Amino acid sequence: MAAVLMDGKWLSEQLTQKQAQRVKELQEKGKTVTLSVVLVGDNPASQTYVRNKQLACEKLGILGSTVLLPGDISQQELENKLDMLCADESIDGVLLQLPLPKGLDEASALMHIPPEKDVDGFHTYNQGALFSGADGVVACTPKGVMYMLKTYGVPLSGKHAVVVGRSNIVGKPAALLLLQENCTVTVCHSRTEDLPSFTRQADILVAAVGKAGMITADMVKEGAAVVDVGINRVDGKLCGDVDFDAVKEKAGWISPVPGGVGKMTVAMLMENVIDAAEKRMTK
Ligand code: NDP
């Protein structure tokens, strides 16, 4: 394998020790760090993600609780529940697991989590803060992508970063964070004509689409850093958007799926929860 493996599992384990220490220090000051996760309905993938978040909390000594709500809940009831949780002074972070069942308005529900408790960084205030370079909560997945690139020493300033995908939770914030690091950024999406002509120019290539193996070796520049955000299931097996086996022979750095960005996402969520608790303590 030519490429350096950007190992999200290893990186997140390194972070666990530091995070557990921060949680302990808060506990010694009488503060229990608390996260409340709201899960609506019974989507199996969401149940797995919520369980992983819960386990991560337990590992660090964060008090994590999951609020289960029925899939046929009304918008009003959901928003009332979020208002109630967010008003609870003992809770540092509130997370609404997405996607919501059909018929519920995600954007409206997310506005019921105030920016300081929005540990997912999805409130428009936090998105605006990222846009303007102000202090705010950064969404966990793109934050994890940047942590990974920086920790593995991937050169960023002046380099061409190509982000494939333009969602509000991954593609757009990843592009803004890369821009903050002085990359020259191109954002591609489903209407992009001749996608390979863009990806082949990338020194840093972030794939955030959700199509198994769509980034093939011929679409990658020799020595590029390839970050695979995609999570797909093929024949019951997890895989990313990148044809890992072929691309690893050409790239300079590559993140695997599983064991890559997914691990970083949970680690960054924990970081955002601890940050929120520390900020509340110093208020
Ligand atoms: P969305 O479905 O919201 O966005 C997908 C993006 O991909 C869209 O911008 C879409 O373009 C673009 N796209 C679709 N088809 C193509 C194509 N053929 N060529 C180029 N672009 C295309 O997904 P998310 O951003 O939420 O997630 C992306 C992937 O990352 C998914 O696999 C998801 O499961 C995974 N994910 C992983 C996380 C992790 O922790 N590792 C966390 C969050 C997501 P358009 O806008 O034009 O429709």
Side-chain angles (χ1 to χ4, degrees), residues 27-107:
Q27 251 154 12
E28 283 163 3
K29 291 179 191 155
K31 168 92 194 99
T32 302
V33 182
T34 307
L35 169 69
S36 183
V37 178
V38 177
L39 175 60
V40 185
D42 53 6
N43 178 329
S46 293
Q47 286 171 336
T48 306
Y49 293 137
V50 168
R51 218 172 12 251
N52 290 343
K53 288 166 188 172
Q54 207 60 53
L55 285 173
C57 284
E58 279 166 30
K59 236 181 176 175
L60 296 179
I62 293 175
L63 183 62
S65 64
T66 304
V67 178
L68 297 173
L69 298 174
D72 61 356
I73 194 169
S74 71
Q75 186 77 26
Q76 189 64 53
E77 284 171 313
L78 170 61
E79 293 179 356
N80 288 347
K81 185 71 194 175
L82 289 171
D83 289 341
M84 214 177 78
L85 284 171
C86 293
D88 184 334
E89 278 302 315
S90 69
I91 298 176
D92 300 298
V94 176
L95 182 157
L96 177 61
Q97 184 64 44
L98 302 180
L100 293 178
K102 278 203 170 56
L104 290 171
D105 181 342
E106 290 180 356

Coordinates of all heavy atoms in Angstrom, one line a residue, residues 27-107:
Q27 N -15.9 17.2 36.6 CA -16.5 16.5 37.7 C -16.0 16.9 39.0 O -16.7 17.1 40.0 CB -16.3 14.9 37.5 CG -17.6 14.2 37.1 CD -17.2 12.9 36.4 OE1 -16.1 12.5 36.3 NE2 -18.3 12.4 35.7
E28 N -14.6 17.1 39.1 CA -14.0 17.5 40.3 C -14.5 18.9 40.7 O -14.5 19.3 41.9 CB -12.5 17.5 40.2 CG -12.0 16.1 40.3 CD -10.5 15.9 39.7 OE1 -9.9 16.9 39.3 OE2 -10.1 14.8 39.7
K29 N -15.0 19.7 39.7 CA -15.5 21.0 40.1 C -17.0 20.9 40.3 O -17.7 21.9 40.3 CB -15.3 22.0 38.9 CG -13.8 22.3 38.7 CD -13.6 23.3 37.6 CE -12.2 23.4 37.2 NZ -12.0 23.8 35.8
G30 N -17.6 19.7 40.3 CA -19.0 19.5 40.6 C -19.9 19.5 39.4 O -21.1 19.6 39.5
K31 N -19.3 19.4 38.2 CA -20.1 19.5 37.0 C -20.1 18.1 36.3 O -19.1 17.6 35.9 CB -19.5 20.5 36.1 CG -20.1 20.5 34.7 CD -21.3 21.5 34.6 CE -22.1 21.2 33.3 NZ -23.3 20.4 33.5
T32 N -21.3 17.5 36.2 CA -21.4 16.3 35.4 C -21.7 16.7 33.9 O -22.7 17.4 33.7 CB -22.5 15.4 35.9 OG1 -22.3 15.2 37.3 CG2 -22.7 14.1 35.2
V33 N -20.9 16.2 33.0 CA -21.2 16.6 31.6 C -22.3 15.7 31.1 O -22.3 14.5 31.3 CB -19.9 16.3 30.7 CG1 -20.1 16.7 29.3 CG2 -18.7 17.1 31.3
T34 N -23.3 16.3 30.4 CA -24.5 15.6 30.1 C -25.0 15.9 28.7 O -25.0 17.0 28.2 CB -25.7 16.1 31.0 OG1 -25.2 16.0 32.4 CG2 -26.9 15.3 30.9
L35 N -25.3 14.8 28.0 CA -25.8 14.9 26.6 C -27.1 14.2 26.5 O -27.3 13.0 27.0 CB -24.8 14.2 25.6 CG -25.3 13.9 24.2 CD1 -25.4 15.3 23.5 CD2 -24.3 13.0 23.4
S36 N -28.0 14.8 25.9 CA -29.3 14.2 25.6 C -29.5 14.0 24.1 O -29.5 14.9 23.4 CB -30.4 15.1 26.2 OG -31.7 14.4 26.1
V37 N -29.8 12.7 23.7 CA -30.0 12.4 22.3 C -31.4 12.1 22.1 O -32.0 11.3 22.8 CB -29.1 11.2 21.9 CG1 -29.4 10.8 20.4 CG2 -27.6 11.5 22.1
V38 N -32.0 12.7 21.1 CA -33.4 12.5 20.8 C -33.6 11.6 19.6 O -33.0 12.0 18.5 CB -34.2 13.8 20.6 CG1 -35.7 13.6 20.3 CG2 -34.1 14.6 21.9
L39 N -34.2 10.5 19.7 CA -34.4 9.6 18.5 C -35.9 9.4 18.3 O -36.6 9.0 19.1 CB -33.7 8.2 18.9 CG -33.9 7.1 17.8 CD1 -33.3 7.5 16.5 CD2 -33.3 5.8 18.3
V40 N -36.2 9.8 17.1 CA -37.7 9.7 16.7 C -37.9 8.5 15.7 O -37.2 8.4 14.7 CB -38.1 11.0 16.0 CG1 -39.6 11.0 15.7 CG2 -37.8 12.2 16.8
G41 N -38.7 7.6 16.1 CA -39.0 6.4 15.2 C -38.0 5.3 15.4 O -37.3 5.3 16.4
D42 N -38.0 4.4 14.5 CA -37.2 3.1 14.7 C -36.3 2.8 13.5 O -36.2 1.6 13.2 CB -38.2 2.0 15.1 CG -39.3 1.8 14.0 OD1 -39.2 2.5 13.0 OD2 -40.2 1.0 14.2
N43 N -35.8 3.8 12.9 CA -34.8 3.6 11.8 C -33.6 2.8 12.4 O -32.9 3.3 13.3 CB -34.4 5.0 11.3 CG -33.3 4.9 10.2 OD1 -32.5 4.0 10.2 ND2 -33.4 5.8 9.3
P44 N -33.3 1.6 11.9 CA -32.2 0.8 12.4 C -30.9 1.4 12.4 O -30.1 1.3 13.3 CB -32.3 -0.5 11.6 CG -33.5 -0.4 10.8 CD -34.0 1.0 10.7
A45 N -30.6 2.2 11.3 CA -29.2 2.8 11.2 C -29.1 3.9 12.2 O -28.1 4.0 12.9 CB -29.1 3.4 9.8
S46 N -30.2 4.6 12.4 CA -30.2 5.7 13.5 C -30.0 5.1 14.8 O -29.3 5.6 15.7 CB -31.5 6.5 13.4 OG -31.6 7.2 12.2
Q47 N -30.7 3.9 15.1 CA -30.5 3.3 16.4 C -29.1 2.9 16.6 O -28.6 3.1 17.7 CB -31.4 2.0 16.4 CG -32.9 2.3 16.5 CD -33.8 1.1 16.4 OE1 -33.4 0.2 15.7 NE2 -35.0 1.2 16.9
T48 N -28.4 2.4 15.6 CA -27.0 2.1 15.7 C -26.1 3.3 16.0 O -25.3 3.3 16.9 CB -26.4 1.4 14.4 OG1 -27.3 0.3 14.1 CG2 -25.0 0.9 14.6
Y49 N -26.4 4.4 15.3 CA -25.6 5.6 15.5 C -25.8 6.1 17.0 O -24.9 6.5 17.6 CB -26.0 6.7 14.5 CG -25.6 6.4 13.1 CD1 -26.5 6.7 12.1 CD2 -24.4 5.9 12.8 CE1 -26.2 6.4 10.7 CE2 -24.1 5.6 11.5 CZ -25.0 5.8 10.5 OH -24.6 5.5 9.2
V50 N -27.1 6.0 17.4 CA -27.4 6.5 18.8 C -26.7 5.7 19.8 O -26.1 6.2 20.8 CB -28.9 6.6 19.0 CG1 -29.2 6.8 20.5 CG2 -29.5 7.7 18.1
R51 N -26.7 4.3 19.6 CA -26.0 3.4 20.5 C -24.5 3.7 20.6 O -23.9 3.8 21.6 CB -26.2 2.0 20.0 CG -26.4 1.0 21.2 CD -26.9 -0.4 20.8 NE -26.8 -0.8 19.4 CZ -27.8 -1.0 18.6 NH1 -29.0 -0.8 19.1 NH2 -27.6 -1.3 17.4
N52 N -23.9 4.0 19.4 CA -22.5 4.3 19.4 C -22.2 5.6 20.2 O -21.2 5.7 20.9 CB -22.0 4.5 18.0 CG -21.9 3.1 17.2 OD1 -22.0 2.1 17.9 ND2 -21.9 3.2 15.9
K53 N -23.1 6.6 20.1 CA -22.9 7.8 20.8 C -23.0 7.6 22.3 O -22.2 8.1 23.1 CB -23.9 8.9 20.3 CG -23.6 9.4 18.9 CD -24.8 10.1 18.3 CE -24.4 10.4 16.8 NZ -25.5 11.0 16.0
Q54 N -24.0 6.8 22.6 CA -24.2 6.4 24.0 C -22.9 5.7 24.6 O -22.5 6.1 25.7 CB -25.4 5.5 24.1 CG -26.2 5.5 25.3 CD -26.8 6.8 25.7 OE1 -27.5 7.4 24.9 NE2 -26.5 7.3 26.9
L55 N -22.4 4.8 23.9 CA -21.2 4.1 24.3 C -20.0 5.0 24.5 O -19.2 4.9 25.4 CB -20.8 3.0 23.3 CG -21.7 1.7 23.3 CD1 -21.3 0.8 22.1 CD2 -21.6 1.0 24.6
A56 N -19.9 6.0 23.5 CA -18.8 6.9 23.6 C -18.9 7.8 24.9 O -17.9 8.1 25.5 CB -18.8 7.8 22.4
C57 N -20.1 8.2 25.2 CA -20.4 8.9 26.4 C -19.9 8.1 27.6 O -19.2 8.6 28.5 CB -21.9 9.2 26.6 SG -22.4 10.6 25.5
E58 N -20.4 6.9 27.7 CA -20.0 6.0 28.8 C -18.5 5.9 29.0 O -18.0 5.9 30.2 CB -20.6 4.6 28.6 CG -22.1 4.5 29.0 CD -22.7 3.2 28.5 OE1 -22.0 2.2 28.4 OE2 -23.9 3.3 28.2
K59 N -17.8 5.7 27.9 CA -16.3 5.6 28.0 C -15.7 6.8 28.6 O -14.6 6.7 29.3 CB -15.8 5.5 26.5 CG -15.0 4.3 26.2 CD -14.6 4.4 24.8 CE -13.7 3.3 24.3 NZ -13.4 3.4 22.9
L60 N -16.3 8.0 28.5 CA -15.7 9.2 28.9 C -16.2 9.7 30.3 O -15.7 10.7 30.8 CB -15.9 10.3 27.9 CG -15.3 10.2 26.5 CD1 -15.6 11.3 25.6 CD2 -13.7 10.1 26.7
G61 N -17.2 9.0 30.8 CA -17.9 9.5 32.0 C -18.9 10.6 31.8 O -19.2 11.4 32.7
I62 N -19.3 10.8 30.5 CA -20.4 11.7 30.2 C -21.7 11.1 30.5 O -21.9 9.9 30.1 CB -20.3 12.2 28.7 CG1 -19.0 13.0 28.5 CG2 -21.5 13.0 28.3 CD1 -18.7 13.4 27.0
L63 N -22.6 11.8 31.1 CA -23.9 11.2 31.4 C -24.8 11.4 30.1 O -25.2 12.5 29.7 CB -24.6 12.0 32.5 CG -25.9 11.5 33.0 CD1 -25.8 10.0 33.5 CD2 -26.5 12.4 34.1
G64 N -25.0 10.3 29.4 CA -25.7 10.3 28.2 C -27.1 9.7 28.4 O -27.2 8.7 29.0
S65 N -28.1 10.4 27.8 CA -29.4 9.8 27.9 C -30.1 9.8 26.5 O -29.8 10.7 25.7 CB -30.3 10.5 28.9 OG -30.5 11.8 28.5
T66 N -30.9 8.8 26.2 CA -31.6 8.8 24.9 C -33.1 9.0 25.2 O -33.6 8.2 26.0 CB -31.3 7.5 24.2 OG1 -29.9 7.4 24.0 CG2 -31.9 7.5 22.8
V67 N -33.7 9.9 24.5 CA -35.1 10.1 24.6 C -35.7 9.5 23.3 O -35.5 10.0 22.2 CB -35.5 11.6 24.7 CG1 -37.0 11.9 24.7 CG2 -34.8 12.3 25.9
L68 N -36.5 8.5 23.5 CA -37.2 7.8 22.4 C -38.5 8.4 22.2 O -39.4 8.4 23.1 CB -37.3 6.3 22.7 CG -35.9 5.6 22.8 CD1 -36.2 4.1 23.3 CD2 -35.1 5.6 21.5
L69 N -38.8 8.8 20.9 CA -40.1 9.3 20.6 C -40.7 8.5 19.5 O -40.0 8.1 18.6 CB -40.0 10.8 20.2 CG -39.4 11.8 21.3 CD1 -39.2 13.2 20.8 CD2 -40.4 11.8 22.5
P70 N -42.0 8.4 19.5 CA -42.7 7.6 18.4 C -42.6 8.3 17.1 O -42.6 9.5 16.9 CB -44.2 7.5 18.9 CG -44.3 8.7 19.8 CD -43.0 9.0 20.4
G71 N -42.5 7.4 16.0 CA -42.4 7.9 14.6 C -43.5 8.7 14.2 O -43.4 9.5 13.2
D72 N -44.7 8.6 14.8 CA -45.9 9.4 14.4 C -46.1 10.6 15.2 O -47.2 11.2 15.2 CB -47.1 8.5 14.4 CG -47.4 7.9 15.8 OD1 -46.7 8.2 16.7 OD2 -48.5 7.3 16.0
I73 N -45.1 11.0 15.9 CA -45.2 12.2 16.8 C -45.5 13.5 15.9 O -45.0 13.5 14.7 CB -43.9 12.5 17.6 CG1 -44.1 13.5 18.7 CG2 -42.7 12.8 16.7 CD1 -43.0 13.5 19.7
S74 N -46.2 14.4 16.4 CA -46.5 15.6 15.6 C -45.3 16.6 15.7 O -44.5 16.5 16.6 CB -47.7 16.3 16.1 OG -47.5 16.9 17.3
Q75 N -45.2 17.5 14.7 CA -44.1 18.5 14.8 C -44.1 19.3 16.1 O -43.1 19.5 16.7 CB -44.3 19.4 13.5 CG -43.2 20.4 13.3 CD -41.9 19.8 12.7 OE1 -42.0 18.8 12.0 NE2 -40.8 20.4 13.0
Q76 N -45.4 19.7 16.5 CA -45.5 20.5 17.7 C -45.0 19.7 18.9 O -44.3 20.3 19.7 CB -47.0 20.8 17.8 CG -47.3 21.9 18.9 CD -46.6 23.2 18.6 OE1 -46.9 23.8 17.5 NE2 -45.8 23.7 19.5
E77 N -45.4 18.5 19.0 CA -45.0 17.7 20.2 C -43.5 17.5 20.2 O -42.9 17.6 21.3 CB -45.7 16.3 20.1 CG -47.1 16.3 20.5 CD -47.8 14.9 20.2 OE1 -47.5 14.4 19.1 OE2 -48.5 14.4 21.1
L78 N -42.9 17.2 19.0 CA -41.4 17.1 19.0 C -40.7 18.4 19.4 O -39.8 18.4 20.2 CB -41.0 16.7 17.5 CG -39.5 16.7 17.3 CD1 -38.8 15.8 18.1 CD2 -39.2 16.4 15.8
E79 N -41.2 19.5 18.9 CA -40.6 20.8 19.2 C -40.8 21.1 20.7 O -39.9 21.7 21.4 CB -41.1 21.9 18.3 CG -40.6 21.6 16.9 CD -41.0 22.6 15.8 OE1 -41.8 23.5 16.1 OE2 -40.6 22.4 14.6
N80 N -42.0 20.8 21.3 CA -42.2 21.0 22.7 C -41.2 20.2 23.5 O -40.7 20.7 24.5 CB -43.6 20.6 23.1 CG -44.7 21.6 22.6 OD1 -44.3 22.7 22.1 ND2 -45.9 21.2 22.6
K81 N -41.0 19.0 23.1 CA -40.1 18.1 23.8 C -38.6 18.7 23.8 O -37.9 18.7 24.8 CB -40.1 16.7 23.2 CG -39.3 15.6 23.9 CD -39.9 15.3 25.3 CE -39.0 14.5 26.1 NZ -39.5 14.2 27.5
L82 N -38.2 19.1 22.6 CA -36.9 19.7 22.5 C -36.8 21.0 23.3 O -35.8 21.2 24.0 CB -36.6 20.1 21.0 CG -36.4 18.9 20.0 CD1 -36.4 19.4 18.6 CD2 -35.1 18.2 20.4
D83 N -37.8 21.8 23.3 CA -37.8 23.0 24.2 C -37.6 22.6 25.7 O -36.8 23.3 26.4 CB -39.1 23.8 24.0 CG -39.3 24.5 22.7 OD1 -38.2 24.6 22.0 OD2 -40.4 24.8 22.3
M84 N -38.3 21.6 26.1 CA -38.3 21.2 27.5 C -36.8 20.7 27.8 O -36.3 21.1 28.8 CB -39.2 20.0 27.6 CG -39.9 20.0 29.0 SD -41.1 18.6 29.0 CE -40.0 17.2 29.2
L85 N -36.3 19.9 26.9 CA -34.9 19.3 27.2 C -33.9 20.5 27.2 O -33.0 20.5 28.1 CB -34.5 18.4 26.1 CG -35.1 17.0 26.1 CD1 -34.8 16.2 24.9 CD2 -34.6 16.2 27.4
C86 N -34.0 21.4 26.3 CA -33.1 22.5 26.2 C -33.2 23.5 27.4 O -32.2 24.1 27.7 CB -33.2 23.2 24.9 SG -32.8 22.2 23.5
A87 N -34.4 23.5 28.0 CA -34.5 24.4 29.2 C -33.9 23.8 30.4 O -33.8 24.5 31.4 CB -36.0 24.7 29.4
D88 N -33.6 22.5 30.4 CA -33.1 21.8 31.5 C -31.6 22.2 31.8 O -30.7 21.9 31.0 CB -33.2 20.3 31.3 CG -32.7 19.5 32.5 OD1 -31.9 20.0 33.3 OD2 -33.2 18.3 32.6
E89 N -31.4 22.9 32.9 CA -30.1 23.5 33.2 C -29.0 22.4 33.3 O -27.8 22.7 33.2 CB -30.1 24.3 34.5 CG -30.7 25.7 34.3 CD -29.8 26.5 33.3 OE1 -28.6 26.5 33.3 OE2 -30.5 27.2 32.4
S90 N -29.4 21.2 33.7 CA -28.4 20.1 33.9 C -27.9 19.5 32.6 O -26.9 18.8 32.6 CB -29.0 19.0 34.8 OG -29.9 18.3 34.0
I91 N -28.5 19.8 31.5 CA -28.1 19.2 30.2 C -27.2 20.2 29.4 O -27.6 21.4 29.2 CB -29.4 18.9 29.3 CG1 -30.2 17.8 30.1 CG2 -29.0 18.3 28.0 CD1 -31.5 17.4 29.4
D92 N -26.0 19.7 29.0 CA -25.1 20.6 28.2 C -25.3 20.6 26.7 O -25.1 21.6 26.1 CB -23.7 20.1 28.5 CG -23.3 20.2 30.0 OD1 -23.4 21.3 30.6 OD2 -23.1 19.1 30.6
G93 N -25.7 19.4 26.2 CA -25.9 19.3 24.8 C -27.1 18.5 24.4 O -27.4 17.5 25.1
V94 N -27.8 18.9 23.4 CA -29.0 18.2 22.9 C -28.8 17.9 21.4 O -28.4 18.8 20.7 CB -30.3 19.0 23.1 CG1 -31.5 18.3 22.5 CG2 -30.5 19.3 24.6
L95 N -29.0 16.6 21.1 CA -28.8 16.2 19.7 C -30.1 15.5 19.2 O -30.6 14.6 19.8 CB -27.6 15.3 19.7 CG -27.1 14.7 18.4 CD1 -25.7 14.2 18.6 CD2 -27.9 13.5 17.9
L96 N -30.5 16.0 18.0 CA -31.7 15.4 17.4 C -31.1 14.5 16.3 O -30.5 15.0 15.3 CB -32.6 16.5 16.8 CG -33.8 16.0 16.0 CD1 -34.7 15.2 16.9 CD2 -34.5 17.2 15.4
Q97 N -31.3 13.2 16.5 CA -30.8 12.2 15.5 C -31.5 12.4 14.2 O -32.8 12.3 14.1 CB -30.9 10.8 16.0 CG -30.3 9.7 15.1 CD -28.7 9.9 14.9 OE1 -28.0 10.2 15.9 NE2 -28.3 9.8 13.7
L98 N -30.8 12.5 13.1 CA -31.4 12.7 11.7 C -31.1 11.4 10.9 O -30.1 10.7 11.2 CB -30.8 13.9 11.0 CG -31.0 15.2 11.7 CD1 -30.4 16.3 10.9 CD2 -32.5 15.5 12.0
P99 N -31.9 11.0 9.9 CA -33.1 11.8 9.4 C -34.3 11.5 10.3 O -34.4 10.5 11.0 CB -33.3 11.2 8.1 CG -32.8 9.8 8.2 CD -31.6 9.8 9.1
L100 N -35.2 12.5 10.3 CA -36.5 12.3 11.0 C -37.4 11.6 10.1 O -37.2 11.6 8.8 CB -37.1 13.7 11.3 CG -36.4 14.6 12.3 CD1 -37.1 15.9 12.5 CD2 -36.2 13.8 13.7
P101 N -38.4 10.9 10.6 CA -39.4 10.2 9.8 C -40.1 11.2 8.8 O -40.2 12.4 9.2 CB -40.4 9.6 10.8 CG -39.7 9.5 12.1 CD -38.7 10.7 12.1
K102 N -40.5 10.7 7.7 CA -41.2 11.5 6.7 C -42.3 12.3 7.3 O -43.0 11.8 8.2 CB -41.7 10.6 5.6 CG -40.7 10.3 4.6 CD -41.4 9.9 3.2 CE -40.3 9.8 2.1 NZ -39.3 8.8 2.4
G103 N -42.5 13.5 6.9 CA -43.6 14.3 7.4 C -43.1 15.3 8.5 O -43.8 16.3 8.7
L104 N -42.0 15.1 9.1 CA -41.5 16.0 10.1 C -40.5 17.0 9.4 O -39.7 16.6 8.6 CB -40.8 15.3 11.2 CG -41.8 14.5 12.1 CD1 -41.1 13.6 13.1 CD2 -42.8 15.4 12.9
D105 N -40.5 18.2 9.9 CA -39.6 19.3 9.3 C -38.4 19.4 10.1 O -38.4 19.9 11.2 CB -40.4 20.6 9.3 CG -39.7 21.7 8.7 OD1 -38.4 21.6 8.6 OD2 -40.3 22.8 8.4
E106 N -37.3 18.8 9.6 CA -36.0 18.8 10.3 C -35.5 20.2 10.6 O -35.1 20.5 11.7 CB -34.9 18.1 9.5 CG -35.2 16.6 9.4 CD -34.1 15.8 8.6 OE1 -33.2 16.4 8.0 OE2 -34.3 14.6 8.5
A107 N -35.5 21.1 9.6 CA -34.9 22.4 9.7 C -35.7 23.2 10.9 O -35.0 23.8 11.7 CB -35.1 23.2 8.4

